[in-house]
Amino acid sequence: MRHGTLRQLEVFEAIVRYGSYTRAAEELFLTQPTVSMQIKKLTDAVGLPLFEQIGKKIYLTDAGKELHEMNQDIFKRFERFEMIAADMKGMKTGKLRLAVVTTAKYFVPRLLGMFCRQYPGIEISLKVSNRAHILERLANNQDDLYVLGQPPKEIDVIAETFLENQLVALASVGHPLANERGITPKRIVKEPFLSRESGSGTRIATERFFSERGLKLKIRMELGSNEAIKQAVIGGLGLSILSHHTLALDAPTGQLVVLDVEGLPINRYWHYAYPAGKQLSIVAQVFLEYLQRASQLLVDVSCHYADVGHCPLLPCSNKKARIKAGCRT
Ligand code: PGA
């Protein structure tokens, strides 16, 4: 086995990831015969087959599965070493794998924009999915860091808040409730409601808000996207409750109204999280420090950005900061 080279392990890893020799060859800029040759040499070194082909699909054998597990360990360690070495040279380079819940896509990319300008050597991969799927990834330790509305109780994680997240009730501008003040939650549940899919953090928080008041929403439609919900609200299909962040791009169109409902907004916070016991990469640590400064940015910098239309944290819910900086949003 010791005769297996790192290159062979790299080829093996790419085949497992893509489930295909051809795609692995493309990624590594190798020809397919070279890929087959490398795997043959690795198989000879191990003395057992690593893959089996059934129909057009390739599967790992038991030996292949064991090798894959060890391989992941080896490459993580290499990556970590490369980052440490880069750090010693005074450079921040490496890869940051982020996974965030659907609604966080309204501000995380903008935060990343500022981060990338500060650290151009850091490569980022961003996965966006709903809470249920993000929790699954977290449990399997598939990424460096996670951003979600509420840390899970069922998984042991380190989690910290870094930004406000207010959930507000939305209606179309022409809705009869649009100009009312002090609307009761009881009145809201009489209206058809457009809800996020089950497994969504927004949905869990919204249902909790009404069930705490002994009320049940009249769900007319379930949609897996904030954007689709906003369009349906604008189209007059019903009301909804979504994060204020989802309004960032709509502010100028004015087709949606935030309703004045007793007990709303639901005040939540965005959390970053990672599995307890996980050793964070240097790049992930740098990003965390940056995120922790983000709440400070909300007060010190966002209004400056709002002025030039590039606020990374819009919509800023910090009214005092907005007034202080004369923010026009
Ligand atoms: P969601 O999560 O996008 O899955 O609704 C948001 C949240 O947890 O607040």
Side-chain angles (χ1 to χ4, degrees):
M1 178 59 227
R2 281 164 201 268
H3 300 299
T5 64
L6 200 58
R7 188 57 162 168
Q8 288 163 12
L9 292 177
E10 205 177 8
V11 170
F12 174 75
E13 192 273 331
I15 296 173
V16 177
R17 196 153 28 90
Y18 288 116
S20 146
Y21 278 50
T22 317
R23 293 200 57 200
E26 275 166 18
E27 186 191 86
L28 299 170
F29 300 108
L30 296 173
T31 62
Q32 207 174 328
T34 311
V35 164
S36 304
M37 178 55 71
Q38 297 282 7
I39 289 302
K40 184 174 177 323
K41 282 188 184 161
L42 186 61
T43 308
D44 290 347
V46 175
L48 289 165
L50 302 171
F51 294 110
E52 55 194 3
Q53 184 148 5
I54 300 171
K56 283 200 167 158
K57 275 189 125 187
I58 52 171
Y59 297 89
L60 284 171
T61 60
D62 286 346
K65 281 182 195 150
E66 288 293 330
L67 183 64
H68 177 51
E69 217 164 279
M70 180 189 78
N71 221 12
Q72 282 184 311
D73 241 35
I74 291 177
F75 283 110
K76 268 194 196 137
R77 279 167 174 258
F78 259 109
E79 216 173 85
R80 194 169 164 72
F81 174 73
E82 275 170 2
M83 283 189 205
I84 291 172
D87 197 44
M88 285 171 173
K89 287 186 225 156
M91 303 172 335
K92 298 275 184 265
T93 62
K95 190 155 184 179
L96 176 68
R97 287 176 211 83
L98 273 182
V100 309
V101 290
T102 318
T103 307
K105 79 170 178 200
Y106 289 93
F107 63 93
V108 169
R110 278 185 270 178
L111 282 174
L112 284 175
M114 278 174 54
F115 180 71
C116 289
R117 278 196 289 282
Q118 232 170 306
Y119 303 102
I122 294 180
E123 192 193 323
I124 296 181
S125 98
L126 178 66
K127 285 256 174 314
V128 182
S129 200
N130 84 6
R131 176 178 170 86
H133 188 225
I134 292 298
L135 291 188
E136 211 179 292
R137 295 186 67 91
L138 201 161
N140 295 327
N141 190 22
Q142 279 175 273
D143 312 272
D144 294 317
L145 286 173
Y146 300 84
V147 172
L148 67 180
Q150 185 69 42
K153 291 198 180 82
E154 58 283 15
I155 312 171
D156 194 11
V157 293
I158 309 289
E160 206 73 59
T161 59
F162 68 94
L163 193 63
E164 277 186 328
N165 177 24
Q166 298 191 330
L167 304 191
V168 293
L170 301 175
S172 72
V173 69
H175 194 280
L177 293 179
N179 295 317
E180 280 194 27
R181 293 279 150 265
I183 305 162
T184 61
K186 210 168 158 189
R187 176 72 186 81
I188 295 290
V189 297
K190 290 202 175 113
E191 294 290 319
F193 194 83
L194 308 170
S195 171
R196 281 282 306 274
E197 77 287 5
S198 56
S200 136
T202 307
R203 178 169 175 153
I204 295 168
T206 303
E207 284 184 343
R208 194 182 308 130
F209 173 84
F210 288 100
S211 70
E212 277 168 4
R213 289 160 177 79
L215 299 169
K216 199 165 183 313
L217 286 163
K218 211 164 74 188
I219 295 179
R220 167 181 260 180
M221 211 189 269
E222 212 180 271
L223 296 116
S225 130
N226 292 316
E227 284 308 305
I229 289 185
K230 285 186 330 192
Q231 291 307 321
V233 171
I234 290 171
L237 287 175
L239 307 179
S240 190
I241 292 187
L242 294 179
S243 167
H244 201 246
H245 286 284
T246 65
L247 298 178
L249 306 173
D250 279 318
T253 69
Q255 298 185 77
L256 288 168
V257 179
V258 175
L259 295 179
D260 182 24
V261 180
E262 284 168 12
L264 290 184
I266 303 173
N267 288 313
R268 306 180 76 214
Y269 285 90
W270 291 109
H271 294 73
Y272 67 76
Y274 55 91
K278 182 181 176 80
Q279 196 174 17
L280 286 183
S281 71
I282 289 173
V283 165
Q285 285 169 26
V286 172
F287 185 68
L288 271 197
E289 283 160 24
Y290 168 80
L291 266 193
Q292 282 154 350
R293 289 198 306 269
S295 48
Q296 198 48 43
L297 288 175
L298 185 66
V299 178
D300 294 342
V301 187
S302 72
C303 296
H304 159 71
Y305 277 90
D307 262 355
V308 291
H310 291 113
C311 172
L313 298 162
L314 260 176
C316 163
S317 49
N318 190 326
K319 206 168 171 185
K320 249 198 245 153
R322 284 208 311 258
I323 294 167
K324 199 172 116 202
C327 168
R328 285 182 273 115
T329 61

CSV table of all heavy atoms in Angstrom, one decimal, residues 100-106 128-134 147-151 165 167 196-197 199-205 224 226 242-243 246 268-270, ligand 1:
chain,number,residue,atom,x,y,z
A,100,VAL,N,-25.5,27.4,4.1
A,100,VAL,CA,-26.4,28.4,4.8
A,100,VAL,C,-27.9,28.0,4.5
A,100,VAL,O,-28.1,27.5,3.4
A,100,VAL,CB,-26.1,29.8,4.4
A,100,VAL,CG1,-24.6,30.1,4.6
A,100,VAL,CG2,-26.5,30.1,3.0
A,101,VAL,N,-28.8,28.4,5.4
A,101,VAL,CA,-30.2,28.2,5.1
A,101,VAL,C,-30.7,29.1,4.0
A,101,VAL,O,-30.1,30.2,3.8
A,101,VAL,CB,-31.1,28.3,6.4
A,101,VAL,CG1,-30.8,27.2,7.3
A,101,VAL,CG2,-30.9,29.6,7.0
A,102,THR,N,-31.8,28.7,3.4
A,102,THR,CA,-32.3,29.5,2.2
A,102,THR,C,-32.3,31.0,2.4
A,102,THR,O,-31.9,31.7,1.6
A,102,THR,CB,-33.7,29.0,1.9
A,102,THR,OG1,-33.7,27.6,2.0
A,102,THR,CG2,-34.2,29.4,0.5
A,103,THR,N,-32.9,31.4,3.5
A,103,THR,CA,-33.1,32.8,3.7
A,103,THR,C,-31.8,33.6,3.9
A,103,THR,O,-31.7,34.8,3.6
A,103,THR,CB,-34.0,33.0,5.0
A,103,THR,OG1,-35.2,32.3,4.8
A,103,THR,CG2,-34.4,34.5,5.1
A,104,ALA,N,-30.7,32.9,4.3
A,104,ALA,CA,-29.4,33.6,4.5
A,104,ALA,C,-28.8,34.0,3.2
A,104,ALA,O,-27.9,34.8,3.2
A,104,ALA,CB,-28.5,32.7,5.3
A,105,LYS,N,-29.4,33.5,2.1
A,105,LYS,CA,-28.8,33.9,0.8
A,105,LYS,C,-29.0,35.4,0.5
A,105,LYS,O,-28.4,35.9,-0.4
A,105,LYS,CB,-29.3,33.0,-0.3
A,105,LYS,CG,-30.7,33.4,-0.8
A,105,LYS,CD,-31.1,32.7,-2.0
A,105,LYS,CE,-32.5,33.1,-2.4
A,105,LYS,NZ,-33.2,32.2,-3.2
A,106,TYR,N,-29.9,36.0,1.3
A,106,TYR,CA,-30.1,37.5,1.0
A,106,TYR,C,-29.0,38.3,1.6
A,106,TYR,O,-28.9,39.5,1.3
A,106,TYR,CB,-31.5,37.9,1.6
A,106,TYR,CG,-32.6,37.3,0.8
A,106,TYR,CD1,-33.2,36.1,1.2
A,106,TYR,CD2,-33.1,38.0,-0.3
A,106,TYR,CE1,-34.2,35.6,0.5
A,106,TYR,CE2,-34.1,37.5,-1.1
A,106,TYR,CZ,-34.7,36.3,-0.7
A,106,TYR,OH,-35.7,35.7,-1.4
A,128,VAL,N,-26.6,26.5,-0.5
A,128,VAL,CA,-27.8,27.1,0.1
A,128,VAL,C,-28.9,26.1,0.0
A,128,VAL,O,-29.2,25.5,-1.0
A,128,VAL,CB,-28.2,28.3,-0.8
A,128,VAL,CG1,-29.4,29.0,-0.1
A,128,VAL,CG2,-27.1,29.3,-0.9
A,129,SER,N,-29.5,25.8,1.2
A,129,SER,CA,-30.6,24.8,1.2
A,129,SER,C,-31.4,25.1,2.4
A,129,SER,O,-31.1,25.9,3.3
A,129,SER,CB,-29.9,23.4,1.4
A,129,SER,OG,-30.9,22.5,0.9
A,130,ASN,N,-32.6,24.3,2.6
A,130,ASN,CA,-33.4,24.7,3.7
A,130,ASN,C,-32.8,24.1,5.0
A,130,ASN,O,-31.9,23.3,5.0
A,130,ASN,CB,-34.9,24.4,3.5
A,130,ASN,CG,-35.2,22.9,3.7
A,130,ASN,OD1,-34.4,22.1,4.2
A,130,ASN,ND2,-36.4,22.6,3.4
A,131,ARG,N,-33.4,24.5,6.1
A,131,ARG,CA,-32.9,24.1,7.4
A,131,ARG,C,-32.7,22.6,7.6
A,131,ARG,O,-31.6,22.1,8.0
A,131,ARG,CB,-33.9,24.6,8.5
A,131,ARG,CG,-33.4,24.2,9.9
A,131,ARG,CD,-34.4,24.8,10.9
A,131,ARG,NE,-34.1,24.3,12.2
A,131,ARG,CZ,-33.2,24.7,13.1
A,131,ARG,NH1,-32.5,25.8,12.7
A,131,ARG,NH2,-33.0,24.1,14.2
A,132,ALA,N,-33.7,21.8,7.2
A,132,ALA,CA,-33.6,20.4,7.4
A,132,ALA,C,-32.4,19.8,6.7
A,132,ALA,O,-31.6,19.0,7.2
A,132,ALA,CB,-34.9,19.7,6.8
A,133,HIS,N,-32.1,20.3,5.4
A,133,HIS,CA,-31.0,19.7,4.7
A,133,HIS,C,-29.6,20.2,5.3
A,133,HIS,O,-28.6,19.5,5.3
A,133,HIS,CB,-31.1,20.1,3.2
A,133,HIS,CG,-30.1,19.5,2.3
A,133,HIS,ND1,-29.4,20.2,1.4
A,133,HIS,CD2,-29.6,18.2,2.3
A,133,HIS,CE1,-28.5,19.3,0.8
A,133,HIS,NE2,-28.6,18.1,1.3
A,134,ILE,N,-29.6,21.5,5.7
A,134,ILE,CA,-28.4,22.1,6.3
A,134,ILE,C,-28.0,21.3,7.6
A,134,ILE,O,-26.9,21.0,7.8
A,134,ILE,CB,-28.6,23.6,6.6
A,134,ILE,CG1,-28.7,24.3,5.3
A,134,ILE,CG2,-27.4,24.1,7.4
A,134,ILE,CD1,-27.5,24.3,4.3
A,147,VAL,N,-24.6,28.6,8.6
A,147,VAL,CA,-25.3,29.8,9.0
A,147,VAL,C,-26.8,29.4,9.0
A,147,VAL,O,-27.3,28.9,8.0
A,147,VAL,CB,-25.1,31.0,8.1
A,147,VAL,CG1,-26.1,32.2,8.5
A,147,VAL,CG2,-23.7,31.5,8.2
A,148,LEU,N,-27.4,29.6,10.2
A,148,LEU,CA,-28.9,29.2,10.3
A,148,LEU,C,-29.6,30.0,11.4
A,148,LEU,O,-28.9,30.7,12.2
A,148,LEU,CB,-29.0,27.7,10.6
A,148,LEU,CG,-28.6,27.0,11.8
A,148,LEU,CD1,-28.9,25.5,11.8
A,148,LEU,CD2,-27.1,27.2,12.1
A,149,GLY,N,-30.9,30.0,11.3
A,149,GLY,CA,-31.7,30.8,12.2
A,149,GLY,C,-31.7,30.4,13.7
A,149,GLY,O,-31.7,31.2,14.6
A,150,GLN,N,-31.6,29.1,13.8
A,150,GLN,CA,-31.7,28.5,15.2
A,150,GLN,C,-30.8,27.3,15.3
A,150,GLN,O,-30.9,26.4,14.5
A,150,GLN,CB,-33.2,28.1,15.4
A,150,GLN,CG,-33.5,27.7,16.8
A,150,GLN,CD,-33.5,28.8,17.8
A,150,GLN,OE1,-33.9,29.9,17.5
A,150,GLN,NE2,-32.9,28.6,19.0
A,151,PRO,N,-29.8,27.3,16.3
A,151,PRO,CA,-29.0,26.1,16.4
A,151,PRO,C,-29.8,24.9,16.7
A,151,PRO,O,-30.8,25.0,17.5
A,151,PRO,CB,-28.0,26.5,17.5
A,151,PRO,CG,-28.3,27.9,17.9
A,151,PRO,CD,-29.6,28.3,17.3
A,165,ASN,N,-32.4,39.0,13.0
A,165,ASN,CA,-33.3,38.4,11.9
A,165,ASN,C,-34.7,38.6,12.3
A,165,ASN,O,-35.2,37.9,13.1
A,165,ASN,CB,-32.9,37.0,11.7
A,165,ASN,CG,-33.8,36.3,10.7
A,165,ASN,OD1,-34.3,37.0,9.8
A,165,ASN,ND2,-33.9,35.0,10.8
A,167,LEU,N,-38.7,38.5,11.6
A,167,LEU,CA,-39.7,37.9,10.7
A,167,LEU,C,-40.9,38.9,10.7
A,167,LEU,O,-41.4,39.2,11.8
A,167,LEU,CB,-40.1,36.5,11.1
A,167,LEU,CG,-39.0,35.5,11.3
A,167,LEU,CD1,-39.6,34.1,11.4
A,167,LEU,CD2,-38.1,35.5,10.1
A,196,ARG,N,-43.8,28.7,4.0
A,196,ARG,CA,-42.6,28.0,3.5
A,196,ARG,C,-42.8,26.5,3.7
A,196,ARG,O,-43.7,26.1,4.5
A,196,ARG,CB,-41.4,28.5,4.3
A,196,ARG,CG,-40.8,29.8,3.8
A,196,ARG,CD,-40.0,29.7,2.5
A,196,ARG,NE,-39.0,28.7,2.7
A,196,ARG,CZ,-37.8,28.9,3.2
A,196,ARG,NH1,-37.5,30.2,3.5
A,196,ARG,NH2,-36.9,28.0,3.3
A,197,GLU,N,-42.0,25.7,3.1
A,197,GLU,CA,-42.1,24.2,3.2
A,197,GLU,C,-41.8,23.7,4.6
A,197,GLU,O,-41.1,24.4,5.3
A,197,GLU,CB,-41.2,23.6,2.1
A,197,GLU,CG,-39.7,23.6,2.5
A,197,GLU,CD,-39.0,24.9,2.4
A,197,GLU,OE1,-39.7,26.0,2.2
A,197,GLU,OE2,-37.8,24.9,2.6
A,199,GLY,N,-39.8,21.9,7.4
A,199,GLY,CA,-38.3,21.8,7.4
A,199,GLY,C,-37.6,23.2,7.3
A,199,GLY,O,-36.4,23.3,7.6
A,200,SER,N,-38.4,24.2,7.0
A,200,SER,CA,-37.9,25.5,6.9
A,200,SER,C,-37.9,26.2,8.3
A,200,SER,O,-38.9,26.0,9.1
A,200,SER,CB,-38.7,26.4,6.0
A,200,SER,OG,-39.0,27.7,6.5
A,201,GLY,N,-36.8,26.9,8.6
A,201,GLY,CA,-36.7,27.6,9.9
A,201,GLY,C,-37.8,28.7,10.1
A,201,GLY,O,-38.3,28.9,11.1
A,202,THR,N,-38.0,29.4,9.0
A,202,THR,CA,-39.0,30.4,9.0
A,202,THR,C,-40.4,29.8,9.4
A,202,THR,O,-41.1,30.4,10.2
A,202,THR,CB,-39.1,31.0,7.5
A,202,THR,OG1,-37.8,31.4,7.1
A,202,THR,CG2,-40.1,32.2,7.5
A,203,ARG,N,-40.7,28.7,8.8
A,203,ARG,CA,-42.0,28.1,9.0
A,203,ARG,C,-42.1,27.6,10.5
A,203,ARG,O,-43.1,27.9,11.2
A,203,ARG,CB,-42.1,26.8,8.1
A,203,ARG,CG,-43.4,26.1,8.4
A,203,ARG,CD,-43.7,25.1,7.4
A,203,ARG,NE,-44.9,24.4,7.7
A,203,ARG,CZ,-45.7,23.8,6.8
A,203,ARG,NH1,-45.4,24.0,5.5
A,203,ARG,NH2,-46.7,23.1,7.1
A,204,ILE,N,-41.0,27.0,11.0
A,204,ILE,CA,-41.1,26.6,12.4
A,204,ILE,C,-41.3,27.8,13.4
A,204,ILE,O,-42.2,27.7,14.2
A,204,ILE,CB,-39.7,25.9,12.8
A,204,ILE,CG1,-39.5,24.6,12.0
A,204,ILE,CG2,-39.6,25.6,14.3
A,204,ILE,CD1,-38.2,24.0,12.0
A,205,ALA,N,-40.6,28.9,13.1
A,205,ALA,CA,-40.8,30.0,14.0
A,205,ALA,C,-42.2,30.6,13.9
A,205,ALA,O,-42.8,31.1,14.8
A,205,ALA,CB,-39.7,31.1,13.7
A,224,GLY,N,-41.5,26.4,-1.6
A,224,GLY,CA,-40.1,26.2,-1.1
A,224,GLY,C,-39.2,27.4,-1.3
A,224,GLY,O,-38.0,27.2,-1.1
A,226,ASN,N,-38.6,31.8,-0.9
A,226,ASN,CA,-39.0,33.1,-0.4
A,226,ASN,C,-39.5,33.9,-1.6
A,226,ASN,O,-40.5,34.7,-1.5
A,226,ASN,CB,-37.9,33.8,0.3
A,226,ASN,CG,-37.5,33.1,1.6
A,226,ASN,OD1,-38.4,32.7,2.4
A,226,ASN,ND2,-36.2,33.0,1.9
A,242,LEU,N,-42.2,36.4,6.6
A,242,LEU,CA,-40.9,36.0,6.1
A,242,LEU,C,-39.8,36.9,6.8
A,242,LEU,O,-40.2,37.9,7.4
A,242,LEU,CB,-40.8,36.3,4.6
A,242,LEU,CG,-41.6,35.4,3.6
A,242,LEU,CD1,-41.4,35.9,2.2
A,242,LEU,CD2,-41.3,34.0,3.7
A,243,SER,N,-38.6,36.5,6.6
A,243,SER,CA,-37.5,37.4,7.2
A,243,SER,C,-37.5,38.7,6.5
A,243,SER,O,-37.7,38.8,5.2
A,243,SER,CB,-36.2,36.7,7.0
A,243,SER,OG,-35.1,37.6,7.3
A,246,THR,N,-35.5,39.2,3.3
A,246,THR,CA,-36.0,38.9,1.9
A,246,THR,C,-36.5,40.1,1.2
A,246,THR,O,-36.8,40.0,0.0
A,246,THR,CB,-37.1,37.8,2.0
A,246,THR,OG1,-38.3,38.4,2.6
A,246,THR,CG2,-36.8,36.6,2.7
A,268,ARG,N,-35.6,37.3,15.9
A,268,ARG,CA,-34.7,36.1,15.9
A,268,ARG,C,-33.2,36.6,15.6
A,268,ARG,O,-33.0,37.8,15.3
A,268,ARG,CB,-35.1,35.1,14.8
A,268,ARG,CG,-36.5,34.7,14.9
A,268,ARG,CD,-36.8,33.7,13.9
A,268,ARG,NE,-36.3,32.4,14.2
A,268,ARG,CZ,-35.8,31.5,13.3
A,268,ARG,NH1,-35.8,31.8,12.0
A,268,ARG,NH2,-35.4,30.3,13.7
A,269,TYR,N,-32.3,35.7,15.7
A,269,TYR,CA,-30.9,36.1,15.4
A,269,TYR,C,-30.3,35.0,14.4
A,269,TYR,O,-30.6,33.8,14.5
A,269,TYR,CB,-30.1,36.1,16.6
A,269,TYR,CG,-30.4,37.3,17.4
A,269,TYR,CD1,-31.4,37.4,18.4
A,269,TYR,CD2,-29.7,38.5,17.2
A,269,TYR,CE1,-31.7,38.5,19.1
A,269,TYR,CE2,-30.0,39.7,17.9
A,269,TYR,CZ,-30.9,39.7,18.8
A,269,TYR,OH,-31.2,40.8,19.5
A,270,TRP,N,-29.5,35.5,13.5
A,270,TRP,CA,-28.7,34.5,12.7
A,270,TRP,C,-27.6,34.0,13.6
A,270,TRP,O,-26.9,34.7,14.3
A,270,TRP,CB,-28.1,35.2,11.5
A,270,TRP,CG,-29.2,35.6,10.5
A,270,TRP,CD1,-29.7,36.8,10.2
A,270,TRP,CD2,-30.0,34.7,9.7
A,270,TRP,NE1,-30.7,36.8,9.3
A,270,TRP,CE2,-30.9,35.4,9.0
A,270,TRP,CE3,-30.0,33.3,9.6
A,270,TRP,CZ2,-31.9,34.9,8.1
A,270,TRP,CZ3,-31.0,32.7,8.7
A,270,TRP,CH2,-31.8,33.5,8.0
B,1,PGA,P1,-35.2,28.8,6.2
B,1,PGA,O1,-34.4,29.2,7.5
B,1,PGA,O2,-34.7,29.6,5.1
B,1,PGA,O3,-35.0,27.3,6.1
B,1,PGA,O4,-36.6,29.1,6.5
B,1,PGA,C1,-34.4,30.5,8.0
B,1,PGA,C2,-34.3,30.5,9.5
B,1,PGA,O5,-34.0,29.5,10.2
B,1,PGA,O6,-34.6,31.6,10.1
